[in-house]
Structure formats: structure tokens, C-alpha cells
Amino acid sequence: MGHVLVTGATGGIGTALVSGLVEAGHRVTAVGRGVGRLEVRGIEADLAEPGTLAAAMKALEDTGELADVQALVHCAGISPVEAVAEAGPETWRRTLAVNVASAAELVRLTLPALRRSRGHVVFVNASPGLTGVPRWSAFVASKAALRELADSLREEEAAHGIRVTTVYPAATATDLLGEVRSAFGRPYDPESCIRPQTLASMITWVLSAPADSYACEISVVPTPR
């Protein structure tokens, strides 16, 4: 079992994923803010400031743990509900930084290890990343950019054997979704959504693919009720 870096580990999908990976026998390092309260190795980092991530990751490099990273899963994300007419530069900067630029920087920092291990990068995207949504412009744009990052990385690193998977979950029962639904004035029923633990199990399955193949894209939707 391998060493997996996980962002967004302090809530929702990320928290469930950390538990699922540990249960499956993986060694997990959580990267982000507030990770010190988790029961796994934590690297404190501000994903809204991608330029600071290299210094934050120095802690892993100094212990030699960065060199044995075999997978990176980017679960972190923010989701402001603002129309283009309302969203100022800071909304765009912060959303793109957390949702896309920090993912790209962490990939860059871990690439030497991922190349050695012929490792795996998983980007947790969202079904809205495939289409425009009024009043959700910065979020949807960031998810479209994350999709293109994944597709470009897959082509660039194929010669090194690196696998790149994008997961597109529909509505998942998290506090963040509850906040988004409230901002849109829409009801939030967790029972009609995907459980974070279910999505985490699917990501864990993706990471356990046999050597000859893997799922490069996976869409996950709730079972009809």
C-alpha cells in the first residue's frame, strides 16, 4: 500500500477519503489548513496561496517522506455563489487558487516522486464543471480549468506511467453543498445525495486499479429513489 497526499481532508469528501484510505492500508498525509487535528500526518498549508506550498512541503522533503509519495488526491475546493456582475477580483483569485492553481503546484512538487513510482493523480471535480451555471461562475470556471489541467497532465506524463483520473461527483452530502443550496434558495436533502463515504470508497477503488489499466474519468450520481 502506498503513501497518498490528500487535500481538503478536514471536511466532507476529504475526511471520508482519509478514513477510507487508512482503512485500506494506505499511509496518508493531509495537506491544508487545520490538519493538525486529524489522526494522520498533516502538513499545514494555505491552498489559497499556492506560492507558499513549496515551503510548506519542505517538512515532507526534510524527512524523506516526499520521495515516496505514490498518489495525490485533490479534494479541496471552495464554492462561492456569485454572478459575474457581483464577483470581484478576490473571489476569482481565491477560487482559482484553491480549486486549480494549488492542485497544479502540488502536482509539480510531487512529480519526481510520482514519476519514480509511476503514481496516480486524482482530481475531484464536480458535475457542474461540465456546463455553465448562472450565479456560480467562478466555481464552474475553476472546475472547467481543473478538467483541462487533468487532461493536459495525462498527456504530458503518459511517458512516465503516471495515471491521471478525474472524478465527477453529482450532489454529495456535505456541509458545503448545504451552504450552496441555501445560497441558491434551494432545499438540501442529504438523503437524496451521494454519501461522502461512498465517494471515498470509489476513489480508493480507483487508486487500487491493476497495473494494466485504470479509470481516467468517472462520473458518480446518486441512485434513483
Side-chain angles (χ1 to χ4, degrees), residues 19-193:
S19 296
L21 289 172
V22 170
E23 186 176 337
H26 294 280
R27 180 159 55 95
V28 177
T29 296
V31 181
R33 300 179 69 174
V35 294
R37 60 186 173 84
L38 299 174
E39 295 183 0
V40 295
R41 176 83 152 92
I43 299 296
E44 286 288 335
D46 186 356
L47 299 181
E49 302 293 340
T52 67
L53 291 176
M57 295 293 284
K58 188 74 164 51
L60 272 187
E61 186 177 1
D62 289 345
T63 62
E65 295 169 280
L66 185 60
D68 67 1
V69 169
Q70 293 176 286
L72 167 64
V73 184
H74 183 66
C75 290
I78 58 175
S79 186
V81 177
E82 295 181 60
V84 175
E86 303 164 350
E90 180 58 16
T91 293
W92 284 92
R93 185 204 69 79
R94 186 174 177 81
T95 305
L96 291 169
V98 174
N99 294 4
V100 187
S102 62
E105 177 64 354
L106 286 171
V107 168
R108 185 183 73 84
L109 294 170
T110 56
L111 265 180
L114 292 171
R115 286 171 174 171
R116 279 194 298 272
S117 65
R118 299 178 71 84
H120 206 144
V121 178
V122 178
F123 298 109
V124 179
N125 203 296
S127 53
L130 301 176
T131 184
V133 179
R135 297 183 59 220
W136 221 5
S137 53
F139 174 76
V140 171
S142 73
K143 292 302 186 178
L146 188 64
R147 177 186 63 200
E148 298 302 328
L149 168 62
D151 291 348
S152 297
L153 181 66
R154 188 178 299 112
E155 295 295 326
E156 292 170 2
E157 295 299 323
H160 297 285
I162 293 178
R163 308 175 183 195
V164 180
T165 298
T166 295
V167 180
Y168 296 102
T172 305
T174 64
D175 290 342
L176 180 59
L177 179 62
E179 294 168 7
V180 168
R181 290 279 177 89
S182 177
F184 276 112
R186 295 172 54 193
Y188 170 54
D189 175 18
E191 295 302 317
S192 67
C193 299

